[in-house]
Amino acid sequence: MLYHFGSILNSFILISVLTLMLMISKGIAQDLPQHYALTITANDLKDRLSVIASVEMDGRETGTAGQRRAADYIANSFKSIGLLSAGSTIGYFQEYPLFTDTMVSSSIGIGRKKYYYGNDFHAAVRTNQSKTILAQRVIFAGYGISDSAYDDYKNLAVTGSIVVIAYGEPKIGANYLVSGDETASGWSFRTMSEKKEAALKKGAAGIFFIDPLGSPDPDAANTEKKSSLYFRHEYTSASTINSAFISRQMVADLFGKQAADTLLSRMKRGAPFSQHDYRSVSKKILFDFQKNTFTMTAASNVLGMVEGSDKKDEYIFVTAHYDHLGDKGNGKIYYGADDDGSGVSAVLEIAQAFEKAKEDGYGPRRSIVFMTVSGEEKGLWGSEFYTSHPVFPLQQTDIDLNIDMVGRIDPKREAADSLNYVYVIGDDKISSQLRPLLDSVNNSHSNINIDRKFNGNDPERFYYRSDHYNFAKNGVPVMFFFNGTHADYHQTTDTVNKINFDLMEKRTRLIFYTAWEIANRQSSIVRDITLK
């Protein structure tokens, strides 16, 4: 009898233990994302950022020893975390070539009068080719726009002539005529490529842009140092057009003081130009520009991966740029703690959390690629190179979660709670699933105020200004996490001591939760919104 009772007792204990283990296992499974999100801490983020934004990294300017030291630190961190190497060339590195242009000479002559680089005009080294332009006519072509909404070239014949172009685009009240709302279009002063293409198509020999400052800034000319670094021969084609920014005095010498004052006044107000404003003047113009181009060393992106399980041939990218503005001498180091040391630190912490989960047997279904890129501050070079030479097919890349500045507070933000927000950009584009997915993740785990103010008519055009855009323009869904700009943006004062690490921890955990959800869902992210 006693023996039988003991057997029953032992069986009961065994069943109870198994039931308890099952309940614990189920509870762990339910809390898995939170369990690993808690490994992302403010202290760890600070430790990583203190290295990335240190004096030893020398501002991490692309093409410098400081950038290469930062790349080595990130690669070694990936290795110590346990990530697989995912570079296309050497270990964790995907290298791309760098070139440098050095100006030999640059001059402009109008009639018998000669004008000098740095004082009277400024000609960008990278965007001009070695060429001597001789023209007999100069034509004021308004804003240089050729668009269905507004066409400066409608009644102008500019073949073989130098065209003089105002910066910006025409506005009536608060609305831009070209874009139709308060958002500056691609014709605005922020990018000159469309204006150059239009002038080239119309047959212009060269362009003189009216300098918005009134005359070239000597400091800008000195900063240029008559040399420019870039990563591809994007301006060596014959289908380019040379240009210069000219002073207001040069505009007056070309068209007369009274006419120049009228044109400049209209330009300053963003007023449309009338038929009376367009003018053609017979002038002998000599625009000479000569430079040398040299092949340099390589810059690199740094890639590491946590391989997925049953959906390992689908990829989640988590990105940030590790370059910044460098060391300008005289102790002026641009540390780039928030921009974008904060993003790099977040990438490393998220990578460590996912690798820890995989080691514990809870690896993601899809592969997660952690990529830090260089060249962002130069013009999104690293991400452009990657998307032109992808290691993993872009069609099988579910999303890019891009992190660029997540350690500070936007002083211009009007909402009351500035200690619990993040700007999210791009979740209204490419896929209709992004916004509800992010909101669901946030409601379940983070309860951060997701501010989408830059998704609409954004005059700063932030959507186009960080590395996610190179994925987006290739059809890959994106979400860009951002804290907004501040007084230390692109200044030497963007330092580690200014970072709010508690808020950075919250934002980083939200991105981790989002990556976890996308990596483990049954279906891929749909691409059902037409790319604009």
Side-chain angles (χ1 to χ4, degrees):
M1 186 69 178
L2 291 173
Y3 177 81
H4 178 66
F5 177 77
S7 298
I8 294 174
L9 182 62
N10 289 337
S11 298
F12 176 76
I13 293 172
L14 178 61
I15 292 171
S16 299
V17 169
L18 290 174
T19 302
L20 180 61
M21 290 177 64
L22 181 62
M23 291 174 63
I24 293 172
S25 176
K26 186 177 180 181
I28 290 174
Q30 289 175 339
D31 292 338
L32 273 178
Q34 181 180 2
H35 178 75
Y36 294 104
L38 292 176
T39 67
I40 299 169
T41 67
N43 285 337
D44 287 348
L45 289 165
K46 184 176 182 179
D47 288 344
R48 294 190 186 281
L49 185 56
S50 296
V51 176
I52 294 164
S54 64
V55 173
E56 289 72 24
M57 297 302 179
D58 211 26
R60 311 186 305 277
E61 184 174 8
T62 300
T64 67
Q67 175 248 302
R68 291 187 285 274
R69 283 193 291 271
D72 287 340
Y73 167 74
I74 295 165
N76 288 332
S77 296
F78 282 171
K79 184 177 181 179
S80 65
I81 288 170
L83 302 189
L84 299 176
S85 61
S88 63
T89 53
I90 305 170
Y92 294 94
F93 301 107
Q94 181 193 43
E95 295 186 338
Y96 58 89
L98 292 177
F99 307 90
T100 186
D101 284 345
T102 302
M103 182 189 299
V104 176
S105 63
S106 181
S107 63
I108 294 177
I110 301 176
R112 295 182 178 181
K113 188 172 182 179
K114 190 171 182 179
Y115 298 86
Y116 297 94
Y117 174 91
N119 292 317
D120 303 305
F121 72 94
H122 180 254
V125 181
R126 185 161 65 99
T127 57
N128 285 307
Q129 299 307 308
S130 292
K131 188 184 298 184
T132 300
I133 299 171
L134 289 169
Q136 302 298 322
R137 185 165 292 277
V138 60
I139 299 173
F140 178 71
Y143 294 100
I145 294 171
S146 183
D147 189 276
S148 58
Y150 183 93
D151 193 349
D152 285 304
Y153 289 100
K154 185 175 181 180
N155 296 307
L156 293 180
V158 301
T159 301
S161 302
I162 298 288
V163 292
V164 176
I165 293 176
Y167 77 93
E169 59 184 301
K171 297 179 286 184
I172 292 179
N175 293 331
Y176 287 79
L177 289 184
V178 178
S179 62
D181 54 36
E182 296 182 11
T183 304
S185 76
W187 294 102
S188 72
F189 183 65
R190 289 183 180 85
T191 173
M192 310 307 292
S193 59
E194 293 188 37
K195 294 188 177 187
K196 289 181 179 181
E197 289 174 9
L200 191 64
K201 288 178 181 178
K202 299 296 180 180
I207 302 174
F208 290 164
F209 290 110
I210 300 174
D211 195 294
L213 298 177
S215 60
D217 182 356
D219 289 336
N222 291 334
T223 300
E224 182 77 16
K225 296 180 181 178
K226 299 184 179 181
S227 181
S228 182
L229 186 73
Y230 61 104
F231 86 95
R232 61 192 172 103
H233 285 297
E234 55 190 339
Y235 300 108
T236 58
S237 168
S239 62
T240 58
I241 186 168
N242 278 15
S243 63
F245 287 89
I246 64 172
S247 66
R248 298 190 180 192
Q249 181 58 53
M250 288 183 69
V251 179
D253 290 349
L254 287 168
F255 300 113
K257 186 178 186 305
Q258 184 175 354
D261 288 344
T262 300
L263 300 179
L264 293 167
S265 175
R266 285 185 175 276
M267 179 184 75
K268 185 176 181 180
R269 291 183 285 116
F273 290 104
S274 67
Q275 195 60 43
H276 177 74
D277 295 315
Y278 302 104
R279 59 195 66 230
S280 174
V281 178
S282 294
K283 294 273 188 179
K284 183 179 179 180
I285 308 291
L286 172 66
F287 179 18
D288 182 72
F289 189 93
Q290 303 297 325
K291 70 178 182 180
N292 290 326
T293 299
F294 300 96
T295 303
M296 298 274 295
T297 183
S300 61
N301 302 322
V302 190
L303 293 83
M305 182 174 70
V306 175
E307 189 174 49
S309 56
D310 60 313
K311 295 180 179 291
K312 67 179 181 180
D313 292 330
E314 297 178 30
Y315 304 92
I316 312 300
F317 267 68
V318 182
T319 60
H321 73 90
Y322 70 90
D323 66 296
H324 197 54
L325 303 180
D327 184 348
K328 305 305 180 185
N330 299 319
K332 290 186 176 181
I333 297 176
Y334 290 77
Y335 295 96
D338 190 29
D339 185 17
D340 183 29
S342 63
V344 176
S345 301
V347 167
L348 292 173
E349 281 297 290
I350 294 170
Q352 182 170 265
F354 270 105
E355 180 62 29
K356 181 67 168 67
K358 186 175 177 67
E359 290 171 0
D360 291 346
Y362 302 109
R365 299 180 69 185
R366 291 172 178 82
S367 297
I368 305 180
V369 181
F370 301 93
M371 180 172 75
T372 62
V373 302
S374 57
E376 192 271 355
E377 301 287 5
K378 302 290 187 180
L380 312 186
W381 291 355
S383 56
E384 182 173 345
F385 184 83
Y386 177 83
T387 53
S388 298
H389 306 80
V391 178
F392 307 104
L394 296 180
Q395 192 59 39
Q396 293 166 222
T397 300
D398 258 27
I399 195 167
D400 173 43
L401 302 174
N402 186 44
I403 314 170
D404 193 349
M405 300 172 61
V406 288
R408 295 284 297 273
I409 295 169
D410 181 357
K412 299 184 293 296
R413 190 168 182 272
E414 296 178 357
D417 187 358
S418 293
L419 296 178
N420 192 45
Y421 82 96
V422 66
Y423 293 125
V424 176
I425 305 173
D427 68 342
D428 62 339
K429 300 172 176 65
I430 303 177
S431 176
S432 62
Q433 294 179 335
L434 298 184
R435 178 168 293 186
L437 184 150
L438 178 62
D439 286 342
S440 175
V441 168
N442 185 44
N443 291 337
S444 297
H445 298 289
S446 299
N447 293 313
I448 291 177
N449 184 338
I450 295 176
D451 192 328
R452 297 179 167 99
K453 65 176 288 186
F454 296 118
N455 265 345
N457 296 326
D458 172 23
E460 297 294 333
R461 296 171 67 80
F462 284 124
Y463 175 69
Y464 305 93
R465 290 172 53 185
S466 192
D467 295 295
H468 62 277
Y469 179 63
N470 281 317
F471 284 88
K473 73 180 185 181
N474 283 282
V476 177
V478 301
M479 282 193 273
F480 169 29
F481 297 85
F482 176 52
N483 55 222
T485 57
H486 41 75
D488 300 307
Y489 173 67
H490 281 194
Q491 302 298 319
T492 58
T493 50
D494 181 8
T495 50
V496 175
N497 64 302
K498 305 282 184 70
I499 298 295
N500 184 322
F501 286 101
D502 289 336
L503 180 54
M504 185 175 164
E505 176 190 276
K506 292 180 184 179
R507 291 165 173 166
T508 304
R509 287 179 178 178
L510 171 64
I511 300 164
F512 167 80
Y513 285 129
T514 305
W516 182 285
E517 171 65 23
I518 298 172
N520 290 293
R521 58 189 267 128
Q522 179 60 33
S523 58
S524 301
I525 298 293
V526 300
R527 305 182 183 191
D528 59 349
I529 300 177
T530 302
L531 185 65
K532 296 181 180 180

